[in-house]
Amino acid sequence: MSKKSVAAPNTPYFTPAQKPSAGTALSESPPTLFKPIRIRDAEFQNRIWVAPMCMYSADNGKLTDYHLVHLGGLAFRGASLTIIEATSVLPNGRITPQDAGLWEDAQIAPIKKVADYVHSQGQKLGIQLAHAGRKASTSAPWLSKVRGKAVLATEDDGGWPKNVMGPSAIPWSTEGYAIPREMTLEDIADVIQAFKESAQRSVVAGIDVIEIHGAHGYLISSFLSAISNQRTDEYGGTFENRTRLLIDIIKAVRAVIPESMPLLVRVSATEWMNFAPEQWDVESTIRLAKLLPALGVDLLDVSSGGNNEAQRIEMHNHFQVGIAGQIRDALRADKITNLLIGAVGLITEAEYARDIVESKTPSMSGDCVEIEDEQDIKTKADIVLVARQFLREPEWVFRVAFRLGIDVQWPVQYGRAEFQKGSRI
């Protein structure tokens, strides 16, 4: 037997090969959460993905070694896909001056550095392409004196409050946000082109999966809603017109990325504005979802809210996962099976993550997380996307496996540190 450690292939430095990849189930007949899933030519060893999380730590749009450590550390610990935070396709599309960007070729190399490392660990890297629209030119959240309150980034702060734009000249809020200018058709064409070019740069950078950010009140999301979009041209008014920007962007991106590359779309499935006459709601999202497979979209990432400060979110442990399940059920009822669903939001416990992607009768044991709105557990989504829990517990994939009694592969360097039987995890 050779005593020489095998190097990871196609890596510009030595690091041991991880075969199988960390997070791969070694137990026989694991739950669906730890079964592989294939999307186009990409195979993922489990159903746990790291959702994009803004870090507000980029340098003129360029990722830094901070991102290498942050993203690489999560990928190293068994998530089958780690998605880079909202990455702006234009300078004025950043949420803050310190957001990631991919509007120029100089921003490719830092992303490729992260991709090379993630690939050396046998894992996959995604990117969320975005434009902040009317929520652009704010400051990093830790600069606010009140949690959850935005602070406008002025020119002195490196911001661009006079170049913030949206579908209509309606600010997200009168406090902490710029008044956007209504976009011209030329502006819209520039944004579509920018998404296209950023997608091309993503491919060059070695990205495996692209997600288009159409949620949380950013540019695409604000076009979808009749509350924030009061245009009277072909990009406003009817459902077909309000979804036109997203559809145009999807077509532009899909046309320039490999056929083998998965394409995701994140949406806010409801604005949580039930008291408003024309809100974007779950039924609107279902209508949109039915159009996506023909456009080459492989997965709908179901989030909610963020488009209006007057939103009334009905927060509970199932508030978004239940919506994902509604959408998935509606698609299946119409025999649409070629659009996967991703669930995100308050997914913190192993048993809950397991039950989201698996049909089963709930256990009566104390270990099972209660679901508030139904008696039987059935598949709500095909993938769970987890964000803040990974900040609390970067090794969350291993903790979930341990809680569920599943033996999974750890990184070879950490193999001696697996959780011990009987440990309270």
Side-chain angles (χ1 to χ4, degrees), residues 400-414:
V400 168
F402 185 82
R403 281 278 297 175
L404 299 180
I406 307 301
D407 186 20
V408 298
Q409 180 70 35
W410 280 51
V412 293
Q413 300 97 321
Y414 286 19

Side-chain angles (χ1 to χ4, degrees), residues 4 30 91 134 136 173 180 225 263 271 276 296 323 336 368-369 409:
K4 184 177 181 180
R134 63 187 186 145
S173 171
S225 168
L263 179 60
E271 292 185 85
I323 296 172
I336 299 173
C368 188
V369 174
Q409 180 70 35

Side-chain angles (χ1 to χ4, degrees), residues 288-302:
L288 171 64
K290 292 177 180 180
L291 304 175
L292 297 181
L295 297 170
V297 176
D298 302 293
L299 181 141
L300 183 65
D301 178 359
V302 179

Side-chain angles (χ1 to χ4, degrees), residues 89-90 102-103 129 131 183 185-201 235 245 248-253 256:
V89 300
L90 286 171
L102 197 45
W103 63 80
L129 298 181
H131 191 293
M183 294 173 68
L185 292 178
E186 183 179 0
D187 290 329
I188 291 172
D190 288 345
V191 166
I192 296 167
Q193 181 66 21
F195 269 91
K196 175 181 176 179
E197 292 176 0
S198 293
Q200 291 172 311
R201 293 187 185 102
Y235 285 95
L245 176 63
D248 285 351
I249 289 170
I250 292 170
K251 289 178 178 178
V253 170
V256 296

Side-chain angles (χ1 to χ4, degrees), residues 18 28 73 128 136 153 249 297 334 337 362-363 369 405 421:
Q18 306 284 350
E28 293 185 7
Q128 185 186 66
I249 289 170
V297 176
D334 273 9
T337 59
S363 167
V369 174
K421 290 182 179 180

Side-chain angles (χ1 to χ4, degrees), residues 132-205:
R134 63 187 186 145
K135 295 177 83 172
S137 195
T138 60
S139 300
W142 55 79
L143 297 175
S144 174
K145 293 181 180 179
V146 180
R147 183 174 180 178
K149 291 291 185 180
V151 177
L152 184 68
T154 66
E155 286 91 345
D156 290 342
D157 305 319
W160 50 98
K162 296 178 181 178
N163 192 26
V164 171
M165 59 188 190
S168 302
I170 302 171
W172 194 87
S173 171
T174 56
E175 294 184 19
Y177 293 89
I179 298 175
R181 60 178 172 82
E182 181 171 312
M183 294 173 68
T184 65
L185 292 178
E186 183 179 0
D187 290 329
I188 291 172
D190 288 345
V191 166
I192 296 167
Q193 181 66 21
F195 269 91
K196 175 181 176 179
E197 292 176 0
S198 293
Q200 291 172 311
R201 293 187 185 102
S202 298
V203 174
V204 175

Side-chain angles (χ1 to χ4, degrees), residues 306-328:
N307 193 48
N308 198 299
E309 66 174 338
Q311 64 189 6
R312 297 175 187 171
I313 299 179
E314 302 165 12
M315 190 76 76
H316 54 82
N317 73 320
H318 197 55
F319 82 114
Q320 281 183 175
V321 173
I323 296 172
Q326 274 185 264
I327 296 168
R328 191 176 188 276

